Amino acid sequence: MGSTAVEFKNAATSTLLELVKNRRTYYGLKGESPISDDAIERIVQDSVLHVPSSFNTQTSRVVLLLKEEHQKVWDIAIKAIEGLVAAGHVPKESFETSTKPKLESFRAAYGTVLFFVDYESLAPIKEKFAIYADKFDPFALESNAMSQYFVWLALESEGFGANLQHYSPLIDEEIAKTWGLPASWKLDAQLVFGTPTSEPGEKAVRSY
């Protein structure tokens, strides 16, 4: 694909594409925010509400956690992996030198968005369209992934850095218990965000 300059009908298209190009993974984060908590909540709410889903099933669920509540997520993750170390499933040295510092860096951020899929809510649509029944779970996951990406994009547009993590199923039970979440919500990803303290790594783009 060429790099010829083009003009778009809507100037917002250029802005959107710049956001897409500039989105990066930031690991150096601190517990500060460039915007209000209400603005963060609006980003998460509107993103998830308006991202499409197959047959408008709207299976994505989110929990926004900030400050001390956010820190609890990573305390849970640290405790879970400490349990694996104690059981001999994870080498203690690699946990102390690599895994634990990484988890502590997530904990040092400002917030975490927990992304869930409510698969049980698909039961009626699976029955109604039985020929597609085996497709609805993957469709739900695809919709959830779009929500993750859009929230990430919007948060970075407002000055945050973020990184996407996947610590299921290690933390699922304790997460559900801590925040009283329905058993039908299945945790898929954790988006960690905060004010960047360092630049992201070099971005490699594949040529086609």
Side-chain angles (χ1 to χ4, degrees), residues 1-177:
M1 298 176 66
S3 57
T4 306
V6 298
E7 291 187 9
F8 297 106
K9 180 179 179 180
N10 185 346
T13 303
S14 293
T15 301
L16 176 61
L17 292 176
E18 284 303 309
L19 290 174
V20 169
K21 289 189 286 185
N22 292 329
R23 186 220 51 81
R24 304 295 296 280
T25 294
Y26 288 83
Y27 290 111
L29 303 171
K30 61 182 176 180
E32 297 178 5
S33 173
I35 59 176
S36 70
D37 292 351
D38 287 343
I40 298 170
E41 184 176 352
R42 175 61 63 86
I43 285 173
V44 175
Q45 177 178 296
D46 285 0
S47 297
V48 177
L49 183 63
H50 294 287
V51 159
S53 58
S54 65
F55 291 77
N56 197 32
T57 46
Q58 301 182 34
T59 50
S60 292
R61 308 287 185 265
V62 292
V63 175
L64 171 63
L65 301 170
L66 304 174
K67 304 168 187 172
E68 292 83 3
E69 291 298 294
H70 143 81
Q71 292 172 1
K72 291 179 184 178
V73 175
W74 303 105
D75 289 338
I76 289 169
I78 291 170
K79 185 177 179 180
I81 300 181
E82 284 176 342
L84 295 180
V85 173
H89 299 308
V90 173
K92 183 175 181 179
E93 182 178 356
S94 66
F95 172 70
E96 294 291 344
T97 61
S98 178
T99 306
K100 188 175 182 180
K102 180 172 65 174
L103 293 170
E104 289 176 338
S105 75
F106 301 152
R107 189 183 188 279
Y110 189 77
T112 298
V113 185
L114 302 176
F115 290 89
F116 301 81
V117 177
D118 186 355
Y119 291 107
E120 290 185 17
S121 68
L122 288 168
I125 199 79
K126 287 180 178 180
E127 183 177 355
K128 184 176 181 179
F129 297 98
I131 192 172
Y132 298 116
D134 63 333
K135 302 295 185 183
F136 283 111
D137 284 4
F139 289 162
L141 201 57
E142 290 165 4
S143 179
N144 197 262
M146 286 191 280
S147 293
Q148 295 166 28
Y149 180 71
F150 200 87
V151 172
W152 190 348
L153 204 64
L155 288 174
E156 289 204 359
S157 175
E158 288 298 303
F160 283 109
N163 60 77
L164 191 66
Q165 299 301 317
H166 302 86
Y167 279 86
S168 294
L170 291 174
I171 63 175
D172 294 16
E173 183 178 352
E174 195 62 31
I175 289 287
K177 183 169 68 174

